Each structure stands twice: as structure tokens, then as C-alpha cells.
Amino acid sequence: MRFTSERRLDDGVVAREFTLGEIPGTLWTPQSDGPVPLVLMAHNNGMSKAEPRLVARAVHTAAAGYAVASVDAAGCGDRPRSAADERARAELRRALRDGEPADEAFEALVGPLVENAAPEWLTTLDALLELPGIGGPVGYSGWMALGIRLAAADPRIAAAGFFAGGFVPRAQREQAPRVRVPLLLLLQWDDEGNPRRRALDLFDAFGSEEKTLHANMGGHTGTPWFEVEDGDRFFGRHLR
């Protein structure tokens, strides 16, 4: 892991850009006298780690006493998209435009995105946990499909906050019962891209003994800011 820049923000959080092989990332860390827990903050569908909504969440969580990391996995941010990804995106747009069933188009796009992103996130997690000032346990926040994939397979993840947005592939729906960590699921009740019934069925399917559902009115990008604050309290219960 090679750090390429460092900025000290007004609230005492330090933001450092890094590269790990081909993976670009950002690490936000608070002022602290000892090791702090780590939160992986993931995004999807081509979004950049520099997206203002994600950065605002990351800085707020870091200021609450956590190291927060985000990376642009393959196909996200400025990283090139494969020809297969572009064909899948075009087919999805066509199906939605023409009012056709879109499940298979979603599957063709999102399934490979998850499988390509997971190894890069795990490689990043390995490197982050070797840094001074970062200790376990580890939390996950963000893209639900990737979070299911990671939480079902990696015992280092001790708690997860999922945003119920976008399509969750069949493979991750099948993995949901293997997610047994404490779980906070955020659901936008009127999310135009995430059928409500599927999100509720997934909530039932998770194997966690402690799981909480927060449902708010509004569309996909309308998650209220107070949910960020509640998320920090959720991690405070399980990562400290």
C-alpha cells in the first residue's frame, strides 16, 4: 500500500489517498492515542469513492472515532469498464426503457460486479489491518450485495450496515442465511430501483440473531442524514 497524498480536515480527520496495485482508495482516520476500529465503506454501480455523499458519510464516521476506507473496485470511479460490463449496462437500460422484465439484465450486470469487487476489497482489508493505528474489529457499511458476499465469507467482519438499494444477485440471496453478524438494514420505502418486497424477504433470510430494519419514506438517494448518526451508534455497540 502506497500513500500518495494527505489532507487534514477541519474536524481533525486526516484523509489519505492510497494505491494498492491497481486499486485506488481513500483512508480517513481520526485523532486517536491508540488503535481504532475499521469500517469499510463500499459503493457500487460505477460510483466514485470521491462521490460527495460517500465522502460526507466517511468523514462523519471517522470523526466518531473509526478508521474508514473506501476503494474504487474494478469498473468504479476512473477505472475502466470491461466491454462485457458496458454490454450488460446497455441491455439493462434497453429493458427498463422498453418496460420489459429486467431481472436477467440486472443479474448479468451486478453478479460479475460483486464477484470482481470482492477480492479487491479483501486484499485492501489485509493491507489496512497491517497499518499502525488500525485494529479490529471490522465493520462494513454500504452496498448490500457486496456486503453479503464479504460478511458471509470473512470472519473479520463483526457488524454490517447495508443500504437496501439496487439489485441483489441470486448468489447473494442464497448467501444471506450465512450472514450472522449484527446487522442494520436501511430501506427507502419508495426506492424506484429496489423492490420493497425483495428487501423485506432478504431481511427475513439473514441469519443474524441481532438485526434491525430502518425504513424511511423516499426514493433511492433520499436516506436521511440521521441514519448516518444512527449507523455510528450501531458500530459503537459492536466494534468497541
Side-chain angles (χ1 to χ4, degrees), residues 47-128:
M47 185 187 294
S48 167
K49 61 184 175 59
E51 176 72 23
R53 287 184 294 134
L54 186 146
V55 172
R57 286 172 45 217
V59 171
H60 190 280
T61 300
Y66 304 91
V68 181
S70 183
V71 304
D72 282 341
C76 288
D78 294 330
R79 296 185 66 183
R81 297 176 179 177
S82 70
D85 284 349
E86 291 299 273
R87 287 193 297 271
R89 289 177 194 276
E91 177 59 22
L92 175 58
R93 287 193 295 267
R94 187 202 62 76
L96 293 174
R97 182 194 66 222
D98 296 345
E100 297 179 0
D103 277 13
E104 292 308 314
F106 270 116
E107 188 77 34
L109 174 62
V110 181
L113 287 178
V114 173
E115 292 308 311
N116 290 334
E120 296 197 340
W121 274 97
L122 292 174
T123 296
T124 303
L125 176 57
D126 291 341
L128 290 167

Side-chain angles (χ1 to χ4, degrees), residues 44 53 163-166 188 190-194 218-223:
N44 67 326
R53 287 184 294 134
F163 286 72
Q188 287 301 104
D190 307 302
D191 189 338
E192 61 280 4
N194 185 55
H220 182 62
T221 61
T223 303

Side-chain angles (χ1 to χ4, degrees), residues 140-155:
Y140 174 93
S141 176
W143 180 19
M144 182 160 63
L146 175 64
I148 293 171
R149 170 74 166 75
L150 297 181
D154 196 315

